[in-house]
Amino acid sequence: MRHHLETGVSTHASPWDLASGPQPDAFRAVMRRVVGGVAVVGTLREERPWGMTVSAYTPVCMEPPTLLVCINAKTVTAADIESNRKFSLNLLSEAQAGLSQRCAQAGASKYLDGDVVPADELPVPSSTPVLREAIATLDCDASEIRRIGTHVVVIGAIRTILAPASLRPLLYGQGRYLKTVAFDLAPAGPSA
């Protein structure tokens, strides 16, 4: 509780927007505050490229190069990955906000036929969809798949890494797409 020092009058104003136990809605509200890059997980569905927008992904280790992605277990994307054990993680650029929205719509067709780089234009082979204008694509084998609650956690052993010339990443936070800022490539932090 805050007090005004001169009069002793309480000026109680809580600094907390949210105070809760482990409730799903509270957790969702807090996770919306995290700003992060947007990605599309690519798979093959009926031999055609298919994608689903995700924000829950992270590197696991550098040796061997491994990543983790979380996918709603009720989706066809999760079923396809469980079946063929291959997927790509396409990190999206600012130019791909529309693609992100399309691949995030529940129940919508998410075929990516016109959005992928043709195999003959790739510098190295990839067995999963590589999206045009992505800032990077990581072609992966699903080395481990584990169901946790409503999602499957997929550990991906990276087979191929593709990254074109630098593009600005697509960021998401507070329930909306955000503009990126250019970062100076100089070392961060104060000099000693």
Side-chain angles (χ1 to χ4, degrees), residues 78-123:
D80 289 340
I81 293 172
E82 288 177 323
S83 172
N84 66 31
R85 302 191 71 83
K86 296 182 184 318
F87 69 96
S88 59
L89 185 71
N90 293 272
L91 306 177
L92 301 187
S93 70
E94 280 184 337
Q96 294 174 299
L99 176 67
S100 170
Q101 290 171 330
R102 180 168 47 108
C103 291
Q105 293 177 1
S109 173
K110 298 172 185 157
Y111 287 108
L112 302 169
D113 298 310
D115 301 296
V116 297
V117 178
D120 62 350
E121 293 180 22
L122 293 173

Side-chain angles (χ1 to χ4, degrees), residues 19-84:
S20 171
Q23 303 301 319
D25 288 341
F27 184 57
R28 186 176 297 108
V30 168
M31 289 295 96
R32 286 175 58 102
R33 293 180 179 203
V34 175
V35 174
V38 181
V40 165
V41 168
T43 62
L44 292 178
R45 175 147 198 74
E46 301 165 349
E47 302 301 316
R48 291 173 59 197
W50 176 273
M52 182 177 125
T53 301
V54 297
S55 58
Y57 62 89
T58 190
V60 173
C61 62
M62 298 301 136
E63 293 183 29
T66 306
L67 61 81
L68 172 151
V69 64
C70 299
I71 301 168
N72 186 319
K74 293 180 182 177
T75 63
V76 297
T77 305
D80 289 340
I81 293 172
E82 288 177 323
S83 172
N84 66 31

